[in-house]
Amino acid sequence: MKPSPTQLAALVAPIESELEAMRATIVEQLSDGSGAVSDMTGHVARFRGKQLRGSLVLLVARALGRQNDELPAVAAVVEMIHLATLVHDDILDGAKVRRRVASVNQRWDNQVAVLLGDFLYARAFALSTQLSDRMCSSLLAETTRRLCVGEIEQSTRRYDFDQAPEKVERIAAAKTASLYAAAAELGARYPDGSEEEAQEMARFGHELGLAFQLVDDCLDLVGNEETVGKSIGTDVADGKVTLPVLTVYRKATPEVRARIRDAYTLPELEDRVTHLAAACDLQPGIDATLARAAELADSARARLSTLPESAARQALDDLCGFVLARSF
């Protein structure tokens, strides 16, 4: 059975009070005296989604028995950075739908979306500087650099079918897994956790985040837009060669490779992902990519063995299963 939003709510039940505090902090931080900005942040608030990264901060902290009144604010900073990346990603992907509502670039335009994304980054880092320990600011500044490098690398390798699978995975890790890793590390570290625990949880977050992105790459090819809740087929439309496509391409005959390239590059194709599905059998690439995601999730689960048994540890374990089985 595919996990549902209701099941996700049950999964994060051990930290529900902290999540409510995180959400209240985000609402407070996004309020602004400008009517135009308030209209946009009110729209973006509908992108709330799964809030997995903020939940990861709080679940890891709870699993390690760490208590700090600032942890919901730390989680809010992580979620606002993620929200900023969503706004900017929709511009890069030309996406029209996000969380079943119009993306910012679709409702307004790219210029407004760029500025709103910048506003969200600014609010996130302004909040981080108000915390008693600057470690959050430092770690998330470096993480944001990695996110940007990952997006730049992916953008410069559009239509590149000759890149190695390992390179595609490294790019996916930078653009998605790095924020998961930072969230888990902050949960273990903020403000004075042990280095050993922090690094192990960072590795847990990295593997979980990379598994999440690989599943996302598959959903972009074969997911249902209504179920996924956002535009699909955007990777192919933007020329991004993700792991499932690259896996099929590397094993294809020259004739099939030519058809795959045509689906990406022929001018005036309106639905490139449909043309791609007609050009080749995507299923072997989907299966191989999901198998790699499962391998990463299993490795992440194994890292939880050092944590004491608790509802929070079980939720982290369940989160690994959620990431693999999700359809949204």
Side-chain angles (χ1 to χ4, degrees), residues 25-44:
T25 299
I26 292 173
V27 170
E28 178 184 2
Q29 291 298 312
L30 296 189
S31 62
D32 193 88
S34 164
V37 172
S38 294
D39 187 24
M40 293 171 200
T41 56
H43 182 74
V44 166

Side-chain angles (χ1 to χ4, degrees), residues 177-189:
S178 57
L179 190 54
Y180 275 85
E185 182 175 351
L186 283 167
R189 185 189 294 273

Side-chain angles (χ1 to χ4, degrees), residues 83-227:
L83 196 55
T85 68
L86 294 184
V87 173
H88 283 168
D89 282 353
D90 285 344
I91 302 168
L92 296 173
D93 296 341
K96 297 180 179 181
V97 177
R98 169 70 64 179
R99 311 292 189 224
R100 300 177 181 82
V101 298
S103 61
V104 175
N105 50 296
Q106 175 70 10
R107 177 166 173 178
W108 285 275
D109 56 35
N110 285 349
Q111 182 180 19
V112 167
V114 168
L115 294 171
L116 182 61
D118 291 347
F119 172 85
L120 293 169
Y121 276 122
R123 294 306 302 150
F125 281 105
L127 176 58
S128 73
T129 64
Q130 297 170 22
L131 299 172
S132 60
D133 194 297
R134 297 299 174 90
M135 178 262 290
C136 179
S137 294
S138 176
L139 177 58
L140 289 176
E142 172 59 19
T143 300
T144 302
R145 181 194 68 80
R146 291 177 185 168
L147 290 169
C148 292
V149 169
E151 290 288 358
I152 291 168
E153 286 274 0
Q154 187 173 64
S155 295
T156 59
R157 290 180 176 272
R158 288 183 299 169
Y159 311 107
D160 182 1
F161 290 94
D162 294 324
Q163 58 187 310
E166 294 78 15
K167 180 62 177 178
V168 174
E169 195 169 293
R170 283 197 298 272
I171 289 172
K175 65 193 285 285
T176 300
S178 57
L179 190 54
Y180 275 85
E185 182 175 351
L186 283 167
R189 185 189 294 273
Y190 191 87
D192 56 3
S194 78
E195 180 70 19
E196 183 179 357
E197 288 176 338
Q199 290 307 311
E200 187 68 359
M201 288 299 97
R203 287 189 277 275
F204 167 83
H206 174 91
E207 290 166 342
L208 182 70
L210 183 51
F212 181 96
Q213 183 58 54
L214 294 182
V215 172
D216 219 48
D217 292 343
C218 294
L219 290 175
D220 192 66
L221 294 171
V222 298
N224 176 277
E225 185 167 302
E226 179 61 27
T227 302

